[in-house]
Amino acid sequence: MFNCSLPSAFKRALAALLLMGSAVVVQAESAAEDWSDVVQEARGRTVFFYAWGGSGSVNQYLRWAGRHLNRQYGISLRHVKVSDIAEAVHRLRSDQAAGREQGGAIDLLWINGENFHALKESKLLEPDLLNAIPNHVHLLTDEVPLLTDFGVPVEGFEVPWGMGQFNIIAREGSFASPAITPEQLLAYAEQNPGRLSYPKPPDFIGTTFLKSLLQALADNDERLYREPSRSAERDLLPVLWDYLDQLHPLLWEKGRAFPQDSAQQLQWLADGQLHAAFSFNPQEMDSKVRNGRLPETVRRHYFAQGAITNSHYLAVPRNASHKAAAKVVINFLISRSAQARKADSRYWGDPAVVRLDEAEALLPTAQELHAGWQERLEDHWLARYQ
């Protein structure tokens, strides 16, 4: 029919489009067949998932995910609870030093920041992971900077799983507006000595408190978002130490002791010892109020320059024993159904990394500092105050 009624150039273009369409269909079918093979290989496997175990709601969510994965895919998910994922990093480095390139004990990692950078630099992570996960097409990569982790490109070595936003939970009336400044925090400490504190660095929430102060006090200097140089440390850090030198004598125990972590700080807020506590989950306050673990009168605040926002990720070690099963676990954990449950403050309340119909609005965001500042701040803080 085309031969007798259409110009030849148009016919060639149409034929090319039909060929391209066929290629896309074949590619999609091939990808579906490949994923079907992954799912088949995963069945009956056990995935050892090394993840922080310090939160009851997180642990409970992972138990729910494990039941679903076992029922739908025949996968057994073992949550190996660690207090710091650096423990897993150390184990993988030990494997590398021993030449153990396969049969590793860790199948899946919950990771971000300096630990990701360390594993990426050491080539200890499975490459091309992101594109191997079918549900990655639903990620909010066009709206949220999910493809850089503390300033370093992810480059497919890890898959976004959730987001954190640094926020302050305080007794009603502590601060006049949701957004506060370091000066307002210092003024509150002067009026209420012994009622504020912060988790002891290198606890990550304690260190993020230092980052938030530095961001505000250094007027959001652009050097905070690059690998720190000696001159940047020399120029930017003194304003933070000057501030803390004023703040510490006004803190709980006059700044000579600190809560070990945010869980302890939140408990002391609930007990009335402290007037404020910090969280990296913007929905944690609602969750704890609903569960009766914080009074209904608490209010959520954030630093006026914005809440430091970063993402947390899932990654597969290069020497993992059950890579296919780990990929199926990741695909489920970033599915809309699993993300919706995770975002629900009745279960975990962690902001989703995929588009959901009823997602909670995020706090005003501030960029995460480059990973290099993490170690610098912790080392200087420990040397100065411990």
Side-chain angles (χ1 to χ4, degrees):
M1 180 173 67
F2 294 151
N3 287 336
C4 60
S5 59
L6 297 174
S8 58
F10 180 79
K11 286 188 287 185
R12 288 195 295 274
L14 185 56
L17 284 172
L18 289 171
L19 284 171
M20 288 174 60
S22 300
V24 170
V25 170
V26 169
Q27 193 173 27
E29 289 177 347
S30 175
E33 289 173 1
D34 290 346
W35 184 247
S36 176
D37 291 342
V38 173
V39 172
Q40 182 62 33
E41 184 181 343
R43 188 164 294 279
R45 303 296 185 185
T46 296
V47 172
F48 290 89
F49 181 18
Y50 278 60
W52 181 58
S55 164
S57 58
V58 173
N59 297 343
Q60 194 169 15
Y61 174 80
L62 289 177
R63 285 195 289 274
W64 167 82
R67 290 193 294 273
H68 183 94
L69 285 158
N70 188 261
R71 190 167 55 245
Q72 184 166 351
Y73 299 104
I75 293 172
S76 177
L77 182 67
R78 298 282 182 86
H79 179 190
V80 182
K81 297 170 186 166
V82 295
S83 58
D84 189 331
I85 202 64
E87 299 169 29
V89 174
H90 176 73
R91 182 163 190 162
L92 291 172
R93 281 180 159 165
S94 297
D95 283 354
Q96 186 180 45
R100 195 173 297 118
E101 296 181 353
Q102 54 187 347
I106 304 172
D107 296 307
L108 184 61
L109 291 163
W110 180 12
I111 198 170
N112 74 348
E114 76 274 18
N115 291 309
F116 165 66
H117 301 155
L119 293 179
K120 182 185 175 189
E121 284 186 2
S122 300
K123 303 185 187 307
L124 289 171
L125 294 177
E126 180 75 357
D128 304 320
L129 178 65
L130 183 64
N131 288 332
I133 307 299
N135 280 332
H136 87 275
V137 298
H138 302 303
L139 293 169
L140 294 168
T141 49
D142 292 337
E143 302 171 27
V144 183
L146 297 173
L147 299 182
T148 57
D149 185 350
F150 283 59
V152 174
V154 168
E155 295 181 330
F157 286 98
E158 56 181 6
V159 179
W161 186 28
M163 282 186 285
Q165 291 199 295
F166 184 79
N167 63 97
I168 303 158
I169 303 171
R171 291 191 351 169
E172 186 177 27
S174 298
F175 305 105
S177 64
I180 67 172
T181 64
E183 292 75 18
Q184 289 171 321
L185 190 72
L186 184 61
Y188 187 84
E190 290 171 343
Q191 294 161 10
N192 301 273
R195 295 299 187 176
L196 295 180
S197 190
Y198 60 93
K200 179 183 175 182
D203 174 86
F204 73 97
I205 289 184
T207 303
T208 307
F209 173 62
L210 302 183
K211 291 179 186 176
S212 298
L213 291 174
L214 180 59
Q215 207 170 43
L217 296 169
D219 199 21
N220 212 23
D221 192 289
E222 63 179 15
R223 288 173 289 179
L224 295 173
Y225 308 104
R226 300 197 299 261
E227 182 74 39
S229 63
R230 290 191 179 279
S231 64
E233 290 182 49
R234 189 171 55 246
D235 292 346
L236 301 179
L237 290 182
V239 66
L240 174 63
W241 310 136
D242 288 346
Y243 179 89
L244 292 179
D245 288 348
Q246 296 178 66
L247 180 66
H248 278 191
L250 305 169
L251 296 181
W252 177 79
E253 293 290 323
K254 299 185 185 300
R256 292 191 290 264
F258 298 85
Q260 288 301 308
D261 52 33
S262 67
Q264 189 171 53
Q265 190 189 26
L266 282 162
Q267 185 58 53
W268 290 357
L269 169 64
D271 295 342
Q273 290 189 65
L274 298 179
H275 288 183
F278 305 147
S279 173
F280 222 89
N281 182 340
Q283 297 178 46
E284 185 166 18
M285 184 190 76
D286 292 340
S287 176
K288 283 189 160 43
V289 168
R290 182 180 295 110
N291 295 329
R293 296 173 63 187
L294 283 176
E296 294 182 357
T297 53
V298 294
R299 296 291 180 267
R300 186 174 57 201
H301 299 269
Y302 54 89
F303 277 110
Q305 76 272 14
I308 284 185
T309 301
N310 64 41
S311 304
H312 48 91
Y313 299 81
L314 300 167
V316 176
R318 189 182 282 268
N319 73 343
S321 294
H322 306 117
K323 295 179 183 178
K327 290 174 183 175
V328 173
V329 172
I330 294 173
N331 196 52
F332 170 70
L333 291 177
I334 67 167
S335 66
R336 286 194 170 114
S337 60
Q339 287 278 304
R341 188 178 178 99
K342 185 161 71 70
D344 190 328
S345 61
R346 292 175 298 174
Y347 304 111
W348 179 348
D350 190 46
V353 291
V354 301
R355 185 170 290 99
L356 300 177
D357 292 337
E358 297 181 356
E360 293 283 340
L362 294 173
L363 298 172
T365 63
Q367 185 178 349
E368 176 61 86
L369 274 58
H370 188 282
W373 286 100
Q374 181 104 358
E375 186 176 349
R376 305 296 201 287
L377 284 170
E378 290 168 353
D379 288 349
H380 283 289
W381 188 92
L382 289 169
R384 190 177 182 91
Y385 296 114
Q386 295 296 292

